[in-house]
Amino acid sequence: MKTQILTFFGSRKAIPLLFLVSLFSSPIYAVSNDKHLFFRVSELLQDTKQKPTIKLTGTVKDSFGTLGGVIVTVGTTIVTTDLDGKYTTYITSGDKITFSMMGYKDQSIDFVGGNVLNITLSEDSSTLEEIVVNAGYYSVKDRERTGSIARVTAKDIEFQPVTNPLQALQGRMAGVSITQNSGVPGGGFDIQIRGRNSLRKHANSPLYIIDGIVINNDSESENTMSNSILPGNNISPINFINPNNIESIEILKDADATAIYGSRGANGVILITTKKGKSDNLSFTLSSSTAFSKVANKMKLLNTEQFNRIRDQAFINDEMKTFPSYEYDMNGTWDRYRYTDWQKELIGGTAISKNISFNVAGGNENTHFLVGVNHSEETTVFPTSNGYKRTSFNSSLSHNSKDQKFNITIGTNYTKQYNNLLYQDLTSQALTLAPNAPALYNPDGTLNWQNGTFENPLALSQKTYDYKSDNLLLNAAIGYQIFPNVSLKLNTGTNLTYFTENQLTPHTIHNPSKNYTSEISSARKGTSNKQFYIIEPQLNWNYEADKSNFNILIGTTFQQNKSNNLYIRGTNFPTNALMTNIGSAKNQYIDSNNQKDYRYTALFFRLNYIYDSKYIVNLTGRRDGSSRFGKNNQFGNFGAIAGAWLFSEENLFNSLSWLSFGKLRASYGTTGSDNIGDYQYLDTYSITKNIYDKIIGLTPTNLYNPNFGWEKTTKLESSIDISLFNNRINTSISWYRNRTSNQLVGIPLAGTTGFSSVQSNLNATVQNTGWEYTLQTNNIQKKDWKWSTSFNISFPKNKLISFPGLEGSTYANQYVIGESTSIRKVYQYEGLDTTTGIYKFKDFNQDGKYTALDDKQTIKDVAVKYYGGLQNSIAYKNFHLDFLFHFVKQTNLNYNYKLILPGALANQPIEVLDSWSIKNQNASYAPYSTGENSALYQNTLLVNDSDYAISDASFIRLKNISLSYNLAIPNSGIKSINIYFQGQNLLTITKYFGLDPEFTSFGYLPPLKTYAFGFQLTL
């Protein structure tokens, strides 16, 4: 029988409000028979004017409480229940009224009279397969999905005290690896969707799309001035999004899901949908939370007694009987018996985060709105009051005409960010500063320089880095149904970003005894203004005939990105008070000033065919044009084909009562990348800072190459989805293989050309393969008790399978065919010399010395072997407990990567107590030395670049825990109060030798352990 799919939003008041909001904001779908949606012909022939129209009200509930979002249908009139499960509609005697909701059995009643009708719905898990996911240009029922799409909803995001939505995804999605760069607020993340495709590190970012609008996927900062505090000067491009304003996040992974995005989809696509107004009734929501964060773990370092013992032995080993002037702890300049826990002093503070938001939502049958404001603040664990602030405003307005032919949705998101930080991360100083180093402050509160012998780490607190960002996101989606099966849609919008960053270096960071003045003070300033515009008209056609269902989508994209960047600096200021005004500096420099204009156009299509509700074929294609390539390769073609077989619909399996759903699917296709930067194919020039005869000249910066073109990724996937025992157990197993060729990199050139490289396509191929497994179980479904479990695990494998001429290229020391692209070529550590105790390494060419070119032959893969997550959600009456364990199996750099010679004036891990001697020849570390033993000193440096500095960095982490209680107060005007506790990174189980196993760059502040408390009030 022909069916009609209705979209609505559901929520239950009786469970915790965080869960309520998530369901209220998540798209849920139900199927109703035609007879439920339309009058019977016989009824239409009756003269309904003779029957009085009655205003009917009532409440819909289930065994647990009231239900919001239930569809109430009377003929062609459709309304939904509000948060309290209440509805109002108009009906005449003899009409049929139907109540529908995903997860419940439809209930239809022939109305005979009365003004109140209360209904209790019964659960029906068979409709769970009608859940619809966002695939970008179209939506698809999960049961009919041919592509690989991972999804999280507001329910999962709201369980976590995070400022960036990417934090909320860690451990929740198969095939999606996310690493937080730093515990400093406002930083960035490394995200890999099914591995790293490109040989260029910064060309592996996914495509971000928020409410249909493409967002710049590069770091907001395009300068290196933030690198000392934010690893890789990476500032996440989606920091401006308030996580609590997100309705759902879908991540597209395979060719079927991403090929329709063409050259932008090679590294995956992240679709973020923000919350919209849904209820007809006016509601107010106030949320507030406070969080406290600290460094999760401290390294076990030497105390003063241990440190002094090592120092004394180092001088004995070096046969030094007098103490040089720079050995302050030994010559009496410092009090060598004092002790300071520098981890506590420098990174042991408590970062405090405060968050408050207020939303208003309402509307009527055809129009809905939502308006919200949010303000959040977050400090750091460093000894400073500076930190991160974000204020945002969001609104949405949606309208449908009475005949349901015309619809429009308009959204606005405006965010101001201000991040005021130290210039430099203090983590390295906290781990290496001698335990008997002098106090930070003098008795009068001034910084202590200990008569010029102590480089006070807090002096750096006067050298600051800050950025300000204003981000405006506007989007509109307009649709019109021309004919019953044909509709038009226009998606358009803009994203404007205004970014300013400053680095101030006052003369006061130096010892006052040097008598420096503001003449040596310096300042740097960068501004970046970016404007993104997109217009995407689309035409959609649906056709049903017998057992066949066709859907055709055709659209086009017009996109323009403009950016203006200016970086200036100044030195020699009349006073430090004027450092923010570089115009007051005596010496002023323009480091760079550029304007870029990127234009992109595309034609895309989708053809979807379903036969007999069990055989599905999906074709997608896209032709892209990019201004980043010359006319010889300006256009590229991408596409995919996918198929699915719902084998559970076959008669052969109908007798298997334990099989609820089964689907086999496969896809193959190509995506691409033009992520190479603008104007790279042209001859380009920059203004030189050198002046000749009072004339400023030009210097060439790039060579012309009109022939290099699109980087291409070929994707292949197969998968099986199975649901068992009335959907109590749901599982999926996927295998994929992605191959990326035509690598867009710099081809090395001879030095005689004047250029080190020329941009071109390197004939190298990178392959990513892997297995992904997901499992979701509904363990308990009782009146008062509910318990569900979700598990996912991924096994990625990256390999360079082709690179012609590798051995003779400059990449020979970086890559090996048949190995991962994340390998490191290092020295092979062979223990300690039994005679001298000095570190030994394998001398591959046996020339009696260690050289990088000849002896760094050992290959170590610093990569993830597998990762995943285990989540449990438990509800008892109004209590709700949710917790997630995130696990990663990997190898990575350990503390030996930054090993300082044990015996020098620097602290060390307690592991260095296991030092070589005649009686301890199987020790872990060489004899102690102050550095006078040059052979020992040189070989200690080689340890940093050996396999001794790489070890297991696996961990299991209690990533998130949330406990909430929802309190309803009837007849008070308060719909609900939700009180909650949330935790992040509360427990880490690891054998890693270092501060924390999660990092992208060594020596920065790790992700913090967080405790949060809050409430949500709904009126």
Side-chain angles (χ1 to χ4, degrees):
M1 178 173 290
K2 179 181 174 182
T3 59
Q4 180 167 333
I5 306 300
L6 304 177
T7 306
F8 65 97
F9 298 80
S11 61
R12 181 183 291 112
K13 179 180 177 183
I15 59 179
L17 189 56
L18 289 176
F19 191 45
L20 179 152
V21 173
S22 71
L23 290 178
F24 184 72
S25 63
S26 301
I28 308 174
Y29 296 78
V31 179
S32 297
N33 294 332
D34 288 346
K35 64 180 181 179
H36 293 167
L37 301 179
F38 302 100
F39 288 109
R40 292 189 292 268
V41 175
S42 59
E43 292 174 337
L44 291 174
L45 297 177
Q46 296 177 7
D47 185 5
T48 57
K49 294 183 180 180
Q50 296 177 358
K51 299 179 182 181
T53 300
I54 300 170
K55 181 180 181 181
L56 181 66
T57 61
T59 302
V60 182
K61 62 181 182 178
D62 66 354
S63 58
F64 299 99
T66 57
L67 289 172
V70 177
I71 291 181
V72 183
T73 305
V74 179
T76 57
T77 301
I78 301 173
V79 299
T80 58
T81 60
D82 62 15
L83 289 173
D84 295 315
K86 299 183 182 300
Y87 71 92
T88 300
T89 189
Y90 293 91
I91 194 170
T92 59
S93 179
D95 288 347
K96 184 180 291 294
I97 182 171
T98 300
F99 300 85
S100 305
M101 184 175 183
M102 191 282 294
Y104 296 88
K105 295 179 180 179
D106 294 353
Q107 190 169 149
S108 298
I109 296 175
D110 291 322
F111 181 70
V112 294
N115 299 103
V116 178
L117 178 61
N118 298 322
I119 294 294
T120 299
L121 295 182
S122 300
E123 292 189 11
D124 180 11
S125 61
S126 63
T127 59
L128 290 175
E129 63 189 28
E130 301 302 329
I131 294 176
V132 170
V133 295
N134 178 16
Y137 290 110
Y138 58 93
S139 295
V140 59
K141 288 192 295 184
D142 191 57
R143 73 188 307 271
E144 298 174 353
R145 173 175 54 87
T146 54
S148 183
I149 303 176
R151 184 173 187 259
V152 298
T153 63
K155 172 178 69 68
D156 298 312
I157 298 171
E158 290 171 344
F159 280 152
Q160 305 184 58
V162 299
T163 56
N164 187 296
L166 292 179
Q167 290 173 271
L169 303 184
Q170 285 184 293
R172 296 182 184 272
M173 294 179 165
V176 182
S177 174
I178 298 174
T179 304
Q180 187 173 345
N181 290 344
S182 169
V184 176
F189 296 81
D190 176 67
I191 177 168
Q192 295 181 33
I193 300 175
R194 291 186 169 176
R196 182 170 291 147
N197 296 315
S198 179
L199 294 177
R200 291 170 296 122
K201 181 178 179 181
H202 299 292
N204 291 284
S205 299
L207 175 68
Y208 295 97
I209 298 178
I210 302 177
D211 290 334
I213 307 303
V214 174
I215 303 299
N216 176 41
N217 60 2
D218 296 327
S219 170
E220 287 199 88
S221 174
E222 296 187 3
N223 196 278
T224 60
M225 67 175 71
S226 64
N227 191 54
S228 294
I229 186 67
L230 300 174
N233 53 277
N234 189 340
I235 300 173
S236 174
I238 59 172
N239 273 341
F240 73 95
I241 290 292
N242 174 20
N244 290 330
N245 190 41
I246 293 176
E247 178 179 290
S248 66
I249 298 178
E250 277 92 358
I251 294 188
L252 316 184
K253 297 183 288 185
D254 73 330
D256 177 67
T258 60
I260 197 168
Y261 287 99
S263 63
R264 302 178 296 176
N267 300 317
V269 182
I270 299 180
L271 304 174
I272 299 177
T273 304
T274 60
K275 294 178 180 178
K276 309 292 189 297
K278 294 166 285 289
S279 175
D280 293 347
N281 297 328
L282 188 65
S283 65
F284 302 88
T285 302
L286 174 67
S287 301
S288 179
S289 66
T290 301
F292 305 90
S293 302
K294 295 183 72 68
V295 173
N297 299 291
K298 293 171 61 177
M299 283 201 70
K300 295 180 179 179
L301 303 178
L302 300 173
N303 59 32
T304 298
E305 186 273 330
Q306 295 167 329
F307 180 78
N308 285 341
R309 191 167 71 245
I310 288 177
R311 289 281 284 166
D312 291 339
Q313 186 63 46
F315 278 87
I316 294 174
N317 293 344
D318 290 343
E319 299 180 350
M320 296 177 64
K321 297 181 179 180
T322 59
F323 304 119
S325 60
Y326 53 82
E327 300 288 8
Y328 307 119
D329 64 323
M330 302 297 292
N331 60 23
T333 304
W334 294 356
D335 177 6
R336 73 182 307 234
Y337 297 105
R338 74 180 308 277
Y339 173 74
T340 301
D341 182 350
W342 292 114
Q343 292 183 85
K344 180 180 178 181
E345 291 292 324
L346 299 181
I347 61 174
T350 300
I352 300 176
S353 175
K354 299 178 181 179
N355 185 76
I356 186 169
S357 61
F358 179 73
N359 292 330
V360 181
N364 55 37
E365 182 179 347
N366 298 313
T367 304
H368 298 93
F369 72 90
L370 183 146
V371 178
V373 292
N374 172 266
H375 179 75
S376 61
E377 298 182 3
E378 184 176 358
T379 61
T380 73
V381 297
F382 303 130
T384 175
S385 59
N386 297 342
Y388 174 73
K389 297 180 180 180
R390 180 180 65 198
T391 302
S392 62
F393 166 84
N394 62 280
S395 68
S396 70
L397 176 66
S398 58
H399 174 75
N400 290 281
S401 62
K402 290 184 178 181
D403 60 6
Q404 302 297 309
K405 289 187 175 182
F406 174 79
N407 64 82
I408 182 172
T409 299
I410 300 174
T412 302
N413 188 296
Y414 174 69
T415 303
K416 290 182 68 70
Q417 299 177 77
Y418 176 59
N419 205 1
N420 187 14
L421 301 169
L422 301 180
Y423 163 74
Q424 185 171 344
D425 191 308
L426 299 178
T427 302
S428 291
Q429 290 92 323
L431 299 179
T432 58
L433 202 58
N436 55 10
L440 295 173
Y441 297 100
N442 294 312
D444 61 0
T446 59
L447 289 180
N448 176 25
W449 298 93
Q450 201 69 18
N451 298 319
T453 64
F454 178 45
E455 290 295 327
N456 196 313
L458 289 191
L460 292 174
S461 65
Q462 301 179 62
K463 184 175 183 178
T464 61
Y465 168 80
D466 70 81
Y467 70 77
K468 297 179 181 178
S469 176
D470 289 79
N471 190 291
L472 176 63
L473 178 66
L474 301 173
N475 67 281
I478 305 171
Y480 185 76
Q481 187 173 351
I482 306 174
F483 304 109
N485 297 328
V486 181
S487 61
L488 281 173
K489 180 181 178 181
L490 176 65
N491 182 65
T492 184
T494 183
N495 180 220
L496 309 178
T497 302
Y498 302 95
F499 181 83
T500 302
E501 55 185 339
N502 298 279
Q503 181 191 108
L504 305 180
T505 309
H507 72 280
T508 52
I509 68 170
H510 300 285
N511 190 334
S513 64
K514 296 181 179 180
N515 295 318
Y516 289 148
T517 68
S518 60
E519 290 183 351
I520 72 162
S521 297
S522 63
R524 298 172 66 191
K525 181 176 183 178
T527 60
S528 176
N529 300 330
K530 299 176 181 179
Q531 306 168 31
F532 296 78
Y533 306 95
I534 191 169
I535 299 176
E536 292 185 310
Q538 302 163 45
L539 177 67
N540 191 284
W541 176 67
N542 286 293
Y543 177 73
E544 295 183 22
D546 297 328
K547 295 182 179 182
S548 296
N549 187 306
F550 292 89
N551 179 270
I552 297 177
L553 169 69
I554 299 175
T556 185
T557 299
F558 302 96
Q559 178 182 332
Q560 183 178 23
N561 303 350
K562 292 183 176 181
S563 64
N564 297 279
N565 302 301
L566 174 65
Y567 294 95
I568 58 178
R569 58 187 171 95
T571 60
N572 195 343
F573 287 86
T575 172
N576 286 346
L578 295 176
M579 289 178 61
T580 56
N581 181 5
I582 294 182
S584 65
K586 184 175 181 179
N587 304 316
Q588 302 172 22
Y589 308 93
I590 299 177
D591 289 333
S592 66
N593 182 15
N594 58 69
Q595 297 82 37
K596 299 178 182 179
D597 189 357
Y598 166 61
R599 302 193 180 193
Y600 168 90
T601 186
L603 177 67
F604 59 88
F605 78 92
R606 173 186 182 245
L607 170 61
N608 181 263
Y609 174 67
I610 303 176
Y611 178 75
D612 200 17
S613 298
K614 54 187 176 183
Y615 307 111
I616 306 171
V617 176
N618 196 62
L619 296 174
T620 56
R622 190 175 185 105
R623 179 170 173 79
D624 285 348
S626 172
S627 62
R628 289 175 174 165
F629 300 115
K631 60 181 180 179
N632 295 347
N633 287 292
Q634 201 160 33
F635 292 90
N637 300 314
F638 310 94
I641 181 171
W645 173 37
L646 280 62
F647 60 85
S648 57
E649 299 297 317
E650 300 288 354
N651 294 332
L652 177 64
F653 299 98
N654 287 343
S655 60
L656 302 179
S657 59
W658 49 268
L659 180 63
S660 306
F661 176 73
K663 177 174 67 175
L664 287 170
R665 59 180 178 84
S667 66
Y668 176 82
T670 61
T671 57
S673 175
D674 67 347
N675 193 4
I676 191 65
D678 298 305
Y679 311 122
Q680 295 298 305
Y681 72 94
L682 293 173
D683 281 325
T684 57
Y685 298 84
S686 294
I687 295 176
T688 179
K689 297 176 183 178
N690 301 320
I691 299 178
Y692 176 77
D693 196 23
K694 298 182 180 181
I695 297 176
I696 297 177
L698 297 175
T699 179
T701 55
N702 210 55
L703 284 175
Y704 178 63
N705 182 7
N707 296 316
F708 81 89
W710 307 82
E711 195 171 87
K712 289 192 176 183
T713 300
T714 302
K715 299 184 177 184
L716 174 66
E717 185 197 44
S718 60
S719 177
I720 181 171
D721 304 329
I722 296 177
S723 296
L724 306 174
F725 307 112
N726 203 22
N727 294 309
R728 295 291 293 270
I729 300 176
N730 306 281
T731 185
S732 174
I733 302 175
S734 300
W735 173 85
Y736 66 88
R737 189 197 70 191
N738 300 339
R739 288 181 174 177
T740 303
S741 57
N742 269 13
Q743 296 282 337
L744 289 169
V745 297
I747 303 297
L749 296 177
T752 54
T753 65
F755 292 87
S756 60
S757 64
V758 59
Q759 291 294 344
S760 186
N761 291 102
L762 185 65
N763 190 22
T765 302
V766 176
Q767 176 177 278
N768 287 284
T769 59
W771 289 88
E772 298 170 0
Y773 174 71
T774 63
L775 174 67
Q776 191 275 331
T777 62
N778 297 308
N779 307 315
I780 298 177
Q781 291 285 342
K782 302 293 185 181
K783 178 179 179 181
D784 292 333
W785 280 98
K786 286 188 175 182
W787 174 26
S788 63
T789 301
S790 298
F791 173 79
N792 73 84
I793 188 169
S794 304
F795 299 89
K797 187 175 182 180
N798 174 275
K799 183 167 64 175
L800 179 66
I801 62 174
S802 174
F803 196 140
L806 173 62
E807 292 301 324
S809 74
T810 57
Y811 295 101
N813 292 327
Q814 188 174 357
Y815 301 116
V816 174
I817 296 176
E819 299 288 344
S820 165
T821 58
S822 59
I823 63 168
R824 297 176 70 94
K825 283 190 172 183
V826 294
Y827 295 105
Q828 181 175 317
Y829 176 67
E830 293 189 329
L832 301 175
D833 187 282
T834 57
T835 303
T836 64
I838 296 177
Y839 302 104
K840 291 195 311 179
F841 308 91
K842 185 171 183 178
D843 183 5
F844 280 89
N845 63 352
Q846 299 182 353
D847 62 351
K849 56 184 178 181
Y850 302 128
T851 57
L853 183 62
D854 297 319
D855 296 318
K856 290 175 67 173
Q857 299 297 324
T858 298
I859 296 173
K860 299 294 288 187
D861 187 9
V862 287
V864 173
K865 302 300 184 295
Y866 60 83
Y867 59 90
L870 174 65
Q871 178 184 6
N872 280 275
S873 297
I874 303 171
Y876 174 69
K877 293 186 177 179
N878 291 350
F879 288 94
H880 190 278
L881 173 67
D882 185 279
F883 58 92
L884 169 72
F885 282 95
H886 175 44
F887 58 87
V888 177
K889 175 65 175 177
Q890 63 179 354
T891 55
N892 213 333
L893 300 172
N894 61 37
Y895 191 86
N896 289 331
Y897 178 66
K898 292 292 185 179
L899 178 67
I900 301 172
L901 181 68
L905 187 56
N907 208 352
Q908 304 276 359
I910 60 173
E911 282 77 4
V912 301
L913 293 173
D914 183 20
S915 174
W916 184 91
S917 67
I918 296 297
K919 297 181 181 180
N920 185 25
Q921 295 197 7
N922 294 320
S924 300
Y925 290 91
Y928 305 129
S929 172
T930 63
E932 292 297 315
N933 186 334
S934 60
L936 176 57
Y937 176 77
Q938 292 297 328
N939 280 24
T940 301
L941 296 178
L942 298 182
V943 169
N944 304 152
D945 209 10
S946 73
D947 57 355
Y948 198 36
I950 299 173
S951 61
D952 183 68
S954 306
F955 64 90
I956 300 174
R957 176 166 282 167
L958 179 54
K959 190 63 186 179
N960 171 258
I961 185 171
S962 173
L963 177 64
S964 62
Y965 177 76
N966 187 69
L967 175 64
I969 307 178
N971 304 319
S972 65
I974 299 176
K975 295 180 180 179
S976 63
I977 299 178
N978 185 269
I979 303 170
Y980 58 84
F981 160 78
Q982 298 171 331
Q984 193 86 359
N985 302 326
L986 298 188
L987 173 68
T988 301
I989 302 172
T990 182
K991 294 181 179 179
Y992 174 67
F993 179 36
L995 187 59
D996 192 275
E998 181 181 352
F999 63 90
T1000 56
S1001 296
F1002 200 88
Y1004 289 86
L1005 189 72
L1008 304 180
K1009 174 172 59 179
T1010 300
Y1011 300 90
F1013 306 86
F1015 73 90
Q1016 188 174 67
L1017 172 66
T1018 302
L1019 303 175

